[in-house]
Amino acid sequence: MIKIFANWETKLEKNEWYFSDCYAELTKGLSSSDAFVSIPDVINVLLTIKETSLLNEALDFLGIVYNIADTTEIHPMLLVQWENITQHIQWFGDNYSYSAWKEIQYMLRLAELP
């Protein structure tokens, strides 16, 4: 997943749907169990990103992977990294980041949306 963030500005200029296309390619044919198993990879990438727009993309992708996993089970790594993710969003995120994180929490039945 980290490869999609290399030279992303140039790629996005050429294709405004660059990230969506990448997500579609990464998730093509992904079973629910494979999606669940891939959650740690997404979390690892998310925690390395320090640019707000890319953080937002990683949060969106985490939501996509959870949708494909089709479960409200909290991945053990997500539990372990919960506070780190929250802190990372506080440091590098914006309002969209907070909303995306809240939406993931809602999807996992850990929070209510306003």
Side-chain angles (χ1 to χ4, degrees), residues 27 30-32 34-39 42 60-70 107:
T27 59
L30 199 61
S31 70
S32 60
D34 287 339
F36 191 78
V37 169
S38 72
I39 289 170
V42 179
D60 284 346
F61 190 63
L62 181 59
I64 289 168
V65 170
Y66 251 110
N67 273 325
I68 294 169
D70 194 28
M107 184 184 337

Side-chain angles (χ1 to χ4, degrees), residues 59 62-63 66 78 99-108:
L59 285 164
L62 181 59
Y66 251 110
L78 184 60
S99 295
W101 183 230
K102 184 79 167 180
E103 190 171 312
I104 290 167
Q105 293 174 42
Y106 176 74
M107 184 184 337
L108 297 173

